[in-house]
């Protein structure tokens, strides 16, 4: 059988294959024999940046107002801490920036005066006492209530209980203190009940000895509902098969809570604990200021009210700014230390390692 002697096509194997030009910016790194362009990576990076911008520009544009607010109201005022190193006089000019620039520089004089002020250290002591009480008495309450609500079988009862506990979070501190005044004040419900049964009435709202416990109780009643929502959200992500497997292994309700539920809550507990430690020196300015006159500064003076008293009432802005700056630096150190402890415990904390 004869074979055809027609010439082969240009695509035949006998012809040298043409080199396919590599598009500039191609960073796919294939296994073919194509050549790489030295100008590829920068252009590829710009291409990826354009693609990400096209994909996320709606979200980025939506976040611009929030970022602008944070910069204007959170970061820009940090520059005003320079008055802690000045003999600041706000009456030099109607313009606050001009007053800062024209005030005399005194260096660390305010800090030397601050660390030698017994009133400052008394405010620090009260602040730490209130923080420890709230950490021991307030922090576990949302966890316990979240576990209790999560164990309720009926969804309607669970929703109603959660709504009732969360409602006080929307109340202002003025309303919260008014409620406690009607219950625990000298003419409150508790005092009237004691008088009706032949006992002397009590006024817990003006008792300096019980003030720290009163403040903690107010914080629990007002803000425990917010913590419940956070922990319930964490509980909702727990795989139900873990509970079923534990039940099949013979674990009762308490054993399942200890070995399944609490380990699932550990990352959230660690995160909130780190944030709470960061707020150790912030124990409720408005709450305490509203009750300061009733119990006196000896029992109620904390760092926030100390700064307010010297800065707003006495208009010693440089001295108050020095106290606020010390508080901010110490709070940052507490956050970093607590986050390091969370990392040592195997948790993520506020940020990863």
């Amino acid at each position: 059988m004869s074979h055809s002697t027609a010439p082969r096509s240009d695509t035949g194997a006998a012809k040298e294959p043409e080199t396919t030009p590599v598009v500039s910016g191609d960073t796919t790194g294939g296994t073919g024999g194509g050549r790489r362009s030295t100008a590829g990576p920068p252009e590829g990076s710009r291409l990826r940046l354009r693609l990400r911008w096209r994909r996320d520009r709606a979200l980025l544009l939506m976040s611009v107002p929030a970022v602008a607010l944070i910069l204007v109201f959170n970061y820009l005022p940090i520059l005003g801490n320079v008055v802690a190193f000045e003999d600041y006089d706000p009456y030099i000019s109607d313009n606050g920036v001009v007053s800062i620039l024209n005030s005399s520089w005194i260096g660390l004089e305010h800090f030397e005066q601050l660390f030698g002020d017994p009133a400052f250290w008394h405010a620090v002591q009260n602040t730490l006492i209130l923080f420890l009480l709230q950490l021991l008495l307030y922090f576990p309450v949302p966890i316990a209530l979240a576990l209790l609500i999560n164990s309720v079988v009926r969804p309607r009862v669970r929703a109603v209980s959660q709504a009732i506990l969360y409602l006080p979070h929307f109340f202002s501190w003025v309303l919260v203190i008014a409620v406690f005044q009607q219950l625990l004040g000298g003419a409150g419900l508790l005092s009237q009940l004691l008088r009706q049964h032949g006992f002397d009435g009590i006024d817990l709202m003006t008792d300096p000895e019980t003030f720290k416990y009163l403040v903690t109780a107010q914080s629990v009643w007002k803000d425990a509902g917010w913590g419940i929502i956070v922990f319930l959200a964490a509980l909702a992500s727990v795989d139900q098969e873990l509970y079923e497997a534990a039940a099949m292994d013979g674990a009762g309700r308490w054993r399942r809570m200890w070995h399944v539920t609490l380990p699932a809550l550990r990352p959230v507990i660690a995160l909130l604990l780190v944030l709470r430690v960061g707020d150790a020196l912030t124990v409720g300015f408005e709450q305490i200021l509203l009750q300061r006159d009733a119990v006196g500064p000896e029992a109620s003076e904390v760092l926030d009210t100390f700064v307010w008293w010297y800065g707003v009432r006495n208009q010693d802005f440089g001295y108050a700014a020095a106290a606020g700056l010390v508080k901010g630096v110490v709070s940052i150190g507490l956050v970093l230390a607590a986050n390091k402890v969370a990392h040592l415990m195997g948790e993520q904390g506020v940020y990863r390692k």
Side-chain angles (χ1 to χ4, degrees), residues 49-64:
L49 183 61
R50 288 197 298 268
L51 292 175
R52 288 199 299 267
W53 162 254
R54 187 178 303 173
R55 182 192 62 188
D56 301 331
R57 60 184 176 184
L59 297 175
L60 293 174
L61 291 176
M62 289 172 60
S63 65
V64 167

Side-chain angles (χ1 to χ4, degrees), residues 57-266:
R57 60 184 176 184
L59 297 175
L60 293 174
L61 291 176
M62 289 172 60
S63 65
V64 167
V67 173
L69 288 174
I70 292 175
L71 291 176
V72 172
F73 293 102
N74 290 82
Y75 287 95
L76 189 60
I78 294 177
L79 301 176
N81 285 321
V82 70
V83 302
F85 306 92
E86 295 180 342
D87 186 12
Y88 177 66
D89 186 1
Y91 303 107
I92 294 178
S93 172
D94 294 335
N95 191 326
V97 177
V98 175
S99 298
I100 292 176
L101 295 177
N102 293 331
S103 296
S104 59
W105 186 268
I106 61 173
L108 300 177
E109 183 177 329
H110 284 315
F111 295 94
E112 295 175 357
Q113 179 184 354
L114 185 69
F115 293 141
D117 189 355
F120 170 74
W121 292 111
H122 181 71
V124 172
Q125 179 182 353
N126 286 343
T127 302
L128 293 178
I129 290 175
L130 285 175
F131 163 69
L132 291 176
L133 280 176
Q134 293 184 9
L135 186 64
L136 295 176
L137 302 180
Y138 164 64
F139 190 77
V141 171
I143 303 175
L145 291 177
L147 294 175
L148 180 62
I149 294 176
N150 189 66
S151 64
V152 176
V153 178
R154 295 186 178 182
R156 184 180 297 274
V157 177
R158 185 186 309 174
V160 172
S161 302
Q162 182 178 342
I164 293 174
L165 292 172
Y166 189 54
L167 182 61
H169 180 72
F170 297 99
F171 295 165
S172 66
W173 278 114
V174 176
L175 180 57
V176 171
I177 294 172
V179 170
F180 273 77
Q181 179 68 36
Q182 296 300 319
L183 293 175
L184 305 177
L189 180 61
L190 178 61
S191 184
Q192 292 180 12
L193 288 175
L194 290 175
R195 291 191 185 99
Q196 290 175 2
H197 291 81
F199 298 98
D200 294 333
I202 59 175
D203 188 2
L204 297 179
M205 299 297 294
T206 58
D207 186 2
E209 297 296 328
T210 60
F211 177 73
K212 50 184 175 291
Y213 302 104
L214 176 67
V215 170
T216 304
Q218 293 170 352
S219 299
V220 170
W221 186 72
K222 184 179 187 297
D223 291 329
W226 180 85
I228 291 173
I229 290 181
V230 175
F231 289 112
L232 284 177
L235 289 173
S237 63
V238 180
D239 190 357
Q240 297 299 318
E241 294 182 357
L242 296 176
Y243 290 107
E244 297 175 0
M248 292 180 63
D249 290 339
R253 174 176 296 183
W254 293 105
R255 302 287 292 181
R256 293 197 298 268
M257 180 182 298
W258 182 260
H259 293 287
V260 178
T261 305
L262 290 180
L265 291 178
R266 278 186 58 183

Side-chain angles (χ1 to χ4, degrees), residues 224-346:
W226 180 85
I228 291 173
I229 290 181
V230 175
F231 289 112
L232 284 177
L235 289 173
S237 63
V238 180
D239 190 357
Q240 297 299 318
E241 294 182 357
L242 296 176
Y243 290 107
E244 297 175 0
M248 292 180 63
D249 290 339
R253 174 176 296 183
W254 293 105
R255 302 287 292 181
R256 293 197 298 268
M257 180 182 298
W258 182 260
H259 293 287
V260 178
T261 305
L262 290 180
L265 291 178
R266 278 186 58 183
V268 180
I269 294 175
L271 175 60
L272 293 182
L273 187 59
V274 170
L275 297 177
R276 188 69 192 92
V277 171
D279 281 339
L281 304 183
T282 303
V283 289
F285 167 72
E286 183 181 358
Q287 175 192 11
I288 296 177
L289 182 63
L290 290 170
Q291 305 174 88
R292 187 176 187 271
D293 294 335
V295 297
E298 286 294 324
S300 64
E301 191 78 292
V302 294
L303 282 176
D304 285 339
T305 57
F306 180 87
V307 172
W308 170 83
W309 181 264
Y310 282 94
V312 177
R313 292 295 297 269
N314 295 346
Q315 297 191 1
D316 192 352
F317 297 101
Y319 190 66
L325 187 58
V326 170
K327 172 192 167 185
V329 172
V330 173
S331 297
I332 292 175
L334 290 175
V335 170
L336 296 177
N339 200 70
K340 181 64 175 179
V341 173
H343 288 166
L344 294 176
M345 295 174 59

